[in-house]
Amino acid sequence: MTLASTPPTTAGPKLCALQFAAGRIKGTTFMRSFLFVNGSSRIDVELLAPLAGQTIWRLTATANGKAVANKATVPRGISILRVPAAYGKFGRVEINAGFTRVVCIQKWRPDRKIVADFLDVNMFATPYLRLPVTGILAPSYNRAVAKAAQGAVAAAAAGGAPLLGASSATPDGNV
């Protein structure tokens, strides 16, 4: 699938999951592509079906329409790191925009000895994103911010401060 459509322009960043596939388990879906837009910068992450004779889904990334082999930087200082999956190893694309870090992970499934054909997307916010935050993942982000704010009040009362993560993964993508 080519991610050709451009989302509407908004004042803040846009986080979208663009392609879903029916899961192997009834009632589930898989995310196979992700879009990050901030200003004129656009990063597309996509899982493509294996080529003939291969078994591993291909993790691709494009930055403003150009393929990312390993690393790239786009306007606004957004950096992209792509690490393809291999037998026994996770694949991942990390998007670091300073204010947030998005890690799209293609997991190695040791119990099945296969690389997953879906993405886990984890988002880590440092300072908060400018409002409005839009896109399909915006509700998750907004819930995480609200939870962090509640936790910050409790942590301040206890003399500490929490880290904000929108998933159970660590910033390096490990769960």
Side-chain angles (χ1 to χ4, degrees):
M1 174 180 132
T2 302
L3 306 175
S5 62
T6 302
T9 304
T10 63
K14 186 168 183 109
L15 309 168
C16 299
L18 295 176
Q19 181 186 13
F20 291 92
R24 289 179 286 278
I25 300 169
K26 185 177 181 181
T28 64
T29 56
F30 291 157
M31 186 185 316
R32 289 201 173 130
S33 66
F34 179 81
L35 169 66
F36 179 88
V37 175
N38 190 16
S40 63
S41 296
R42 175 188 173 111
I43 295 99
D44 295 289
V45 178
E46 188 171 11
L47 271 179
L48 301 175
L51 296 171
Q54 295 181 347
T55 58
I56 296 176
W57 282 66
R58 297 169 292 140
L59 181 60
T60 65
T62 58
N64 294 331
K66 296 179 182 171
V68 175
N70 298 310
K71 293 181 180 180
T73 303
V74 294
R76 300 187 130 184
I78 299 169
S79 65
I80 302 105
L81 169 68
R82 180 183 155 273
V83 178
Y87 187 82
K89 298 194 184 279
F90 281 33
R92 73 182 188 283
V93 174
E94 295 181 23
I95 303 164
N96 189 338
F99 55 84
T100 193
R101 184 162 164 238
V102 178
V103 183
C104 300
I105 304 167
Q106 182 183 12
K107 288 188 172 181
W108 162 249
R109 311 279 308 265
D111 54 329
R112 298 184 187 166
K113 303 229 181 305
I114 61 169
V115 176
D117 58 348
F118 59 89
L119 296 172
D120 281 349
V121 177
N122 302 290
M123 184 175 66
F124 307 91
T126 45
Y128 301 117
L129 302 177
R130 278 191 330 222
L131 298 177
V133 176
T134 61
I136 196 166
L137 298 178
S140 297
Y141 171 79
N142 292 328
R143 280 193 303 275
V145 169
K147 260 179 134 173
Q150 294 167 358
V153 171
L163 295 174
L164 170 65
S167 80
S168 61
T170 60
D172 63 359
N174 293 324
V175 179

